[in-house]
Amino acid sequence: MADLVPDDPELPTPRTAAPAAQAAPTTAEEAVHLVRAQMARVLGHARADDVPADQPIGELGFDSLSAVGLRNELQRATGVELPATVVFQHPTPRALAERVLELGRAAGSPTPSAAGGSLVEGYRRAAESSRVRPFLSLMADLAEFRERSADPDVLAEHVVPVALGTSGDGPVLVCCAGTAAPSGPHEFARLAAALDGSWSVLGLPQPGYLAGEPLPASMEALAAAQAATVLRAVAARPVVLVGHSAGGLMSHALATALTQQGHRPDGVVLLDSYPPGRQDAVEGWIDVLTRRLLDLETVPLDDTRLTAMGAYDRMLGGWVPDDQQVATLLVRAVDPIAAWPDDDWRASWPFAHATADVPGDHFTMMQEHAGQVAARITDWWEAR
């Protein structure tokens, strides 16, 4: 639950400066101009011409929040529903424009569906009244009525890796998304940028957070689906799995599946992850964490994301990690999210691992201190 996206004062709040909805572009020229104009606006440039149409998006200055902010702006401006990771799935503004145009034509330029709904309002009230835990239980109950699949092949259709950074023939860092409602591969954009091309970085989504996606029937089915995806994507290159908060648990489950299939990963990096049975701080801060989440506008919340969050929360609650004897690094934040009577709030891990501390708290370690996280990962890898 604690794998939330932090506030970033550098990103203009889309809510305060959103353009009125327009018609979706109908020509390639219109689409490119729209995308460049929106990119310029989010990045603080004066003109669309300040954004080269064929420059790699990763070089333009987008991070996790600004990329999601751009997606939200494009969705509002066009009326076209866009995936949360659409920015990172296309290498240049021109390629992104082509995708926006394609989706607009396929959808017939629908008006965007209203974000949220009664469940989102209930989530806000649960946070305000410090009743997030019973709300999550309700979301898990509602998720029982959603489509589920125990077939790894079916689940794998919805586990499409997102390239966050590329390099030569070095190791591949596979970043497992977390399980909070706004989670996704975009969580790792700043980390990928901080690695500065020294690793190839792939973001791995969790299925069930987008409309039409089934939820996994079990951790085993999900991990098997993700293992198949990873093996197809990385071939024989060294692989290190990484996850932030609950995403760290997902990375360990993936490591188990890969090991059982005879493809033990070269390492696992847990970024401020709290294992089952050692989550007192997470439970103690759950209302604070949620209120902080709701102060942000990253990925718009809806019923699908909220019920998926509840389903994963319940699934992880009954999951017990196995010791696969994979080299593991635990990177911990040095600052607590809120007051705690002693040092027991620090993240821990029950199996053999190396430990490294970084500045910031659970949120800011992944944003303004992402460079420190990248350095700790690189140092650990080189010293192994």
Side-chain angles (χ1 to χ4, degrees), residues 43-76:
L43 292 173
H45 298 310
R47 304 173 305 150
D49 289 346
D50 293 331
V51 178
D54 296 304
Q55 183 173 352
I57 288 176
E59 298 176 2
L60 292 173
F62 282 92
D63 57 32
S64 58
L65 287 183
S66 56
V68 175
L70 172 62
R71 173 263 193 179
N72 294 347
E73 295 290 351
L74 289 171
Q75 186 162 280
R76 288 190 183 95

Side-chain angles (χ1 to χ4, degrees), residues 171-176 199-200 202 230 234 237-243 247-259 263-271 324-331 349 352-354 376-378 380-384:
V172 180
L173 196 68
V174 177
C175 302
C176 297
W199 299 64
S200 290
L202 293 178
V230 168
V234 304
R237 296 173 64 181
V239 175
V240 174
L241 309 177
V242 63
L249 308 186
M250 309 307 289
S251 68
H252 183 83
L254 174 54
T256 298
L258 286 168
T259 300
H263 301 280
R264 186 189 304 273
D266 296 87
V268 174
V269 179
L270 309 172
L271 303 177
Q324 296 298 317
Q325 299 182 348
V326 176
T328 300
L329 172 67
L330 173 64
V331 182
W349 192 245
H353 64 276
R376 300 298 184 274
I377 294 173
T378 299
W380 167 76
W381 174 256
E382 292 177 349
R384 73 195 189 288

Side-chain angles (χ1 to χ4, degrees), residues 25-374:
T26 58
T27 68
E29 183 179 0
E30 289 178 359
V32 171
H33 177 77
L34 171 66
V35 167
R36 293 173 70 195
Q38 294 296 338
M39 283 185 164
R41 185 170 169 277
V42 170
L43 292 173
H45 298 310
R47 304 173 305 150
D49 289 346
D50 293 331
V51 178
D54 296 304
Q55 183 173 352
I57 288 176
E59 298 176 2
L60 292 173
F62 282 92
D63 57 32
S64 58
L65 287 183
S66 56
V68 175
L70 172 62
R71 173 263 193 179
N72 294 347
E73 295 290 351
L74 289 171
Q75 186 162 280
R76 288 190 183 95
T78 64
V80 177
E81 296 284 356
L82 302 173
T85 56
V86 68
V87 174
F88 292 118
Q89 290 175 321
H90 298 86
T92 65
R94 189 183 304 279
L96 176 59
E98 291 172 354
R99 181 57 174 161
V100 171
L101 181 62
E102 177 185 356
L103 290 173
R105 288 171 173 170
S109 304
T111 301
S113 59
S118 60
L119 295 185
V120 175
E121 181 58 29
Y123 192 35
R124 298 182 188 279
R125 293 185 180 182
E128 292 168 359
S129 60
S130 298
R131 293 185 293 166
V132 171
R133 175 45 60 191
F135 182 85
L136 287 175
S137 179
L138 174 60
M139 293 302 97
D141 288 341
L142 290 175
E144 294 295 331
F145 296 94
R146 287 187 53 185
E147 178 187 0
R148 291 176 182 261
S149 178
D151 186 341
D153 291 337
V154 171
L155 295 172
E157 294 176 5
H158 305 282
V159 182
V160 180
V162 177
L164 299 175
T166 59
S167 66
D169 297 326
V172 180
L173 196 68
V174 177
C175 302
C176 297
T179 61
S183 293
H186 56 274
E187 300 169 53
F188 302 96
R190 282 199 176 182
L191 175 61
L195 289 166
D196 195 27
S198 57
W199 299 64
S200 290
V201 185
L202 293 178
L204 208 61
Q206 308 298 342
Y209 284 78
L210 299 179
E213 292 184 347
L215 288 165
S218 67
M219 284 285 285
E220 293 74 18
L222 172 60
Q226 293 187 328
T229 298
V230 168
L231 291 175
R232 284 195 299 269
V234 304
R237 296 173 64 181
V239 175
V240 174
L241 309 177
V242 63
H244 177 232
S245 192
L249 308 186
M250 309 307 289
S251 68
H252 183 83
L254 174 54
T256 298
L258 286 168
T259 300
Q260 291 173 345
Q261 294 180 22
H263 301 280
R264 186 189 304 273
D266 296 87
V268 174
V269 179
L270 309 172
L271 303 177
D272 227 36
S273 297
Y274 292 77
R278 301 187 183 184
Q279 295 194 341
D280 289 350
V282 174
E283 290 300 317
W285 289 334
I286 193 168
D287 298 305
V288 175
L289 293 169
T290 302
R291 286 193 289 270
R292 189 159 169 178
L293 167 66
L294 290 173
D295 285 339
L296 311 174
E297 182 172 346
T298 52
V299 177
L301 300 181
D302 57 24
D303 294 355
T304 300
R305 286 186 169 274
L306 290 176
T307 52
M309 177 174 62
Y312 276 81
D313 181 74
R314 179 167 291 175
M315 186 169 64
L316 281 171
W319 174 73
V320 178
D322 294 326
D323 184 4
Q324 296 298 317
Q325 299 182 348
V326 176
T328 300
L329 172 67
L330 173 64
V331 182
R332 306 183 304 180
V334 300
D335 298 325
I337 282 294
W340 198 258
D342 50 39
D343 287 337
D344 286 347
W345 63 270
R346 305 290 300 271
S348 63
W349 192 245
F351 309 125
H353 64 276
T355 301
D357 292 339
V358 293
D361 61 27
H362 184 77
F363 297 141
T364 60
M365 66 179 287
M366 296 297 292
Q367 296 296 310
E368 53 258 46
H369 302 297
Q372 296 280 350
V373 175

